[in-house]
Amino acid sequence: MTKLTQSQTWKALKAHTQALPHMRHLFEDNAQRFNQMSTSACGLFLDYSKNRATQETLSFLFTLADEAKLESKITAMFNGKAINTTENRAVLHTALRAKPEQKILLDGLNIVQEVQETQLKMTTFVDAVSTGIWKGYTGKTITDVVSIGIGGSFLGPKIVSQALKPYWTSKLNCHFVANVDASSITEKLKLLNAETTIFVISSKSFSTQETLTNTISAKDWFLKQGGEHKDVAKHFVAVTSNIVKATEFGIDADNIFPMWDWVGGRYSLWSAIGLPVALLIGMKNFQALLQGANEMDQHFLNAPLNKNMPVIMGLFSLLYGNFHDAQSHVVLTYDHYLRGLPAYFQQLDMESNGKSVTLDGNKVDFSTGPVIWGGEGTNGQHAYHQLLHQGTALIPADFIMPLNSHNPLGEHHVQLASNCFGQTQALMQGRNYDEALDELSGNQLSTDEKALIAKHKVMLGNKPSNTILMDKLTPSTLGSLIALYEHRTFVQGAIWNINSFDQWGVELGKNLGNDVLNRLKSDIDATALDCSSNGLINLFRQGKI
Ligand code: F6P
């Protein structure tokens, strides 16, 4: 048993949650609930009143945070303490968006200086490409950028570029290659002219199989299209912490943008990993993205717990996972530009908190990271909202919506908002049997038939949701929003006392995959494996089932 679940607070909160009335009654009994359970910061507004909670619940949760020494853990992260204990690394993605005058010392070095130098290198590159100064090997200006990377080296650039489409200042076409499936890169290369294409190879380790394989294929394509080895420097740049491997690979040293061990892949979009974003929206907008995240950092570091947006959201997520057995959490973005955000939060949260031992190596006796999923509203209403409303699982939901659209058109936005708010209301209040029966009163069905159908129409409600609003989706509010979720993830890991910043669980699959690769590529007898893997290998070798 861990200390956490044995604490008086944990036990008292368990009993408290089981005695809470339905949210309907909490709203009926308190007309001030919305005003009391909403807060704003960094251009974002959070309505957390549609949660299974009273002020007493919140008090228990804040006590849990205090007992876990959350505030000192937050300070430790910002100050560069090696909180990633299994890799003995600091966790300083916050330094990537620090103000130039800030000092963050790591091993005696002010790392903000390195960050600023890298941003200057990014600015020079972005300006050269966007003004046409940077030319391809036949003297033509660049028209297409291909970003090759996977995980945090793909999701950030891809999803942030998509989210900030209204802010694209360049005419560049941008393509993203991540999967090792040749169909991905093949489909992109079909569209491209080697003379006017630049490849951004993004890989913190520069040893990820998919990224290296895609880069080799891109280079082969480039040479087959007429480029020569001497021309590679004009068409390939890299973002990596492994400068040696990148230069060995043939990337010109001048074309390598550094990143650092104190930045986790899923927290790296703020570094030169964000280069594809900067190429599309320009460095001024990229700096605004960083500024928004920095504002959320300052809020997280300084706001009292009961006004601290990431703390409130992190505690509610922990409440549902640990006290209501919620196994997943859904993120619903009622904005077309934010349609990719749930996938971004998947890696951010699930690769951070998908752990099962505490820092001291003891097995946890509580649930940790939930499955994060979601999609674009209103589309989800016609796909999986049925389960959210009437399924057996409790799935807390975050609804995210800008109050103003980049594309005002007739009734579109007011309808989007009505759906967003209507869904949170339906999840909260549900529909009881009498209301269902009443809705059938004008129906021609018999009394027995009405009684039966009414049972099928009952919706329990009491389904929790947060609603996050912003005036408009801008680089700054997007930066704040993503940093909000980064810190929301941190809060949960800190209270669970797990390491949210390593990812040992992804190593085994990679290593076994490399062993299988050798068997697939040769006639090594696969009998050493289980008969399923052995059978699959043999079928692949045959090329037919
Ligand atoms: O999924 C494991 C992981 O290491 C992620 O954390 C990372 O974002 C991704 O692979 C890509 O790693 P790299 O940037 O080193 O190629």
Side-chain angles (χ1 to χ4, degrees):
M1 296 284 196
T2 56
K3 290 198 294 290
L4 181 61
T5 56
Q6 293 311 299
S7 74
Q8 289 311 313
T9 307
W10 185 279
K11 289 175 183 172
L13 180 53
K14 190 87 184 161
H16 166 81
T17 52
Q18 280 151 8
L20 272 177
H22 192 288
M23 271 192 268
R24 270 191 176 198
H25 304 311
L26 297 178
F27 276 99
E28 284 157 5
D29 297 348
N30 178 5
Q32 288 307 309
R33 188 173 169 83
F34 172 74
N35 294 332
Q36 292 166 355
M37 295 178 75
S38 57
T39 187
S40 54
C42 313
L44 304 178
F45 176 85
L46 169 65
D47 168 18
Y48 58 94
S49 61
K50 293 193 178 90
N51 276 294
R52 294 187 183 182
T54 59
Q55 291 306 323
E56 190 183 8
T57 321
L58 285 164
S59 170
F60 278 122
L61 289 168
F62 294 133
T63 304
L64 271 187
D66 285 337
E67 290 170 354
K69 299 184 172 45
L70 176 62
E71 287 176 313
S72 56
K73 289 178 179 176
I74 295 171
T75 307
M77 172 174 70
F78 277 83
N79 290 345
K81 190 161 175 288
I83 62 170
N84 176 355
T85 49
T86 61
E87 295 177 297
N88 191 28
R89 288 174 181 169
V91 173
L92 278 167
H93 44 282
T94 50
L96 298 172
R97 58 244 192 172
K99 294 187 185 320
E101 63 274 13
Q102 274 182 262
K103 272 193 181 335
I104 300 172
L105 295 180
L106 189 62
D107 305 327
L109 262 179
N110 174 20
I111 56 173
V112 173
Q113 203 170 331
E114 281 184 279
V115 169
Q116 293 298 316
E117 285 162 8
T118 305
Q119 286 178 11
L120 190 59
K121 185 179 173 76
M122 288 173 70
T123 303
T124 307
F125 177 70
V126 167
D127 290 350
V129 172
S130 54
T131 58
I133 294 170
W134 187 295
K135 300 258 194 292
Y137 70 93
T138 59
K140 292 179 180 168
T141 55
I142 299 302
T143 58
D144 289 81
V145 174
V146 181
S147 170
I148 298 181
I150 198 163
S153 299
F154 157 65
L155 288 166
K158 162 84 177 167
I159 287 158
V160 171
S161 303
Q162 186 178 70
L164 295 178
K165 184 70 170 57
Y167 294 89
W168 287 15
T169 51
S170 89
K171 297 272 178 287
L172 287 172
N173 302 309
C174 197
H175 317 268
F176 293 90
V177 173
N179 195 341
V180 75
D181 178 347
S183 302
S184 172
I185 193 164
T186 304
E187 288 298 337
K188 270 84 177 182
L189 294 177
K190 279 178 189 169
L191 309 171
L192 299 172
N193 171 358
E195 298 175 57
T196 61
T197 297
I198 211 161
F199 293 90
V200 180
I201 315 304
S202 299
S203 177
K204 177 180 173 184
S205 61
F206 220 87
S207 60
T208 302
Q209 179 195 67
E210 298 95 327
T211 302
L212 296 182
T213 302
N214 278 317
T215 303
I216 289 166
S217 299
K219 200 169 160 186
D220 290 348
W221 171 83
F222 174 74
L223 297 172
K224 283 197 183 91
Q225 293 289 310
E228 295 179 31
H229 284 284
K230 66 179 177 54
D231 305 319
V232 167
K234 294 188 178 72
H235 294 268
F236 286 79
V237 302
V239 183
T240 184
S241 63
N242 196 332
I243 310 288
V244 170
K245 285 201 81 171
T247 35
E248 279 168 7
F249 196 84
I251 306 285
D252 191 295
D254 289 342
N255 292 352
I256 297 175
F257 296 81
M259 57 189 292
W260 304 275
D261 274 351
W262 37 264
V263 178
R266 51 194 175 273
Y267 296 89
S268 64
L269 89 89
W270 322 96
S271 70
I273 289 288
L275 195 56
V277 180
L279 282 167
L280 290 169
I281 67 173
M283 274 308 278
K284 187 165 169 290
N285 284 322
F286 189 76
Q287 292 289 356
L289 178 79
L290 299 179
Q291 172 64 28
N294 179 265
E295 284 172 18
M296 184 53 73
D297 292 343
Q298 299 313 312
H299 169 75
F300 184 47
L301 198 51
N302 301 310
L305 295 186
N306 66 352
K307 288 291 174 199
N308 197 307
M309 215 175 260
V311 171
I312 291 165
M313 288 188 69
L315 287 173
F316 272 125
S317 184
L318 181 144
L319 176 74
Y320 297 119
N322 293 143
F323 296 89
H324 294 283
D325 197 28
Q327 298 299 312
S328 85
H329 186 102
V330 65
V331 178
L332 304 167
T333 52
Y334 276 69
D335 180 279
H336 180 62
Y337 293 120
L338 291 177
R339 60 194 181 277
L341 213 51
Y344 183 79
F345 292 156
Q346 265 180 347
Q347 186 201 11
L348 172 63
D349 203 271
M350 293 170 75
E351 197 167 77
S352 294
N353 288 342
K355 313 287 169 70
S356 50
V357 293
T358 51
L359 290 179
D360 50 13
N362 290 323
K363 183 142 180 40
V364 296
D365 58 347
F366 49 82
S367 293
T368 55
V371 173
I372 303 290
W373 60 286
E376 180 180 0
T378 61
N379 303 27
Q381 295 170 211
H382 306 273
Y384 40 76
H385 280 221
Q386 165 59 38
L387 184 137
L388 296 180
H389 288 288
Q390 286 191 314
T392 52
L394 176 72
I395 302 178
D398 290 348
F399 288 76
I400 301 171
M401 194 192 80
L403 291 176
N404 299 283
S405 169
H406 279 282
N407 304 290
L409 177 62
E411 288 230 326
H412 286 255
H413 202 62
V414 68
Q415 286 184 17
L416 183 70
S418 65
N419 276 283
C420 179
F421 303 159
Q423 288 296 309
T424 66
Q425 189 182 16
L427 286 167
M428 182 278 290
Q429 71 180 42
R431 172 172 52 204
N432 61 34
Y433 178 76
D434 293 341
E435 288 161 342
L437 204 54
D438 189 41
E439 283 178 13
L440 293 167
S441 56
N443 202 305
Q444 299 312 312
L445 296 168
S446 70
T447 307
D448 287 351
E449 284 167 335
K450 284 179 186 174
L452 177 60
I453 297 293
K455 285 177 185 168
H456 289 262
K457 292 185 73 172
V458 166
M459 296 161 64
L460 296 180
N462 211 27
K463 310 264 187 179
S465 67
N466 296 308
T467 301
I468 298 171
L469 303 176
M470 61 198 80
D471 286 350
K472 196 158 192 173
L473 176 59
T474 66
S476 176
T477 52
L478 181 64
S480 299
L481 181 66
I482 294 175
L484 164 62
Y485 274 80
E486 287 179 343
H487 297 323
R488 169 191 177 279
T489 297
F490 177 91
V491 166
Q492 295 171 80
I495 292 172
W496 291 326
N497 197 36
I498 61 176
N499 184 348
S500 299
F501 301 101
D502 57 12
Q503 52 283 321
W504 300 112
V506 295
E507 308 263 324
L508 179 63
K510 283 182 183 176
N511 298 339
L512 290 179
N514 288 329
D515 174 54
V516 169
L517 179 64
N518 295 332
R519 296 170 191 272
L520 286 172
K521 293 200 302 187
S522 71
D523 55 2
I524 298 174
D525 177 359
T527 49
L529 299 171
D530 58 275
C531 57
S532 161
S533 306
N534 187 17
L536 296 172
I537 286 171
N538 290 335
L539 283 172
F540 185 86
R541 281 181 180 157
Q542 287 166 203
K544 62 185 177 59
I545 54 176

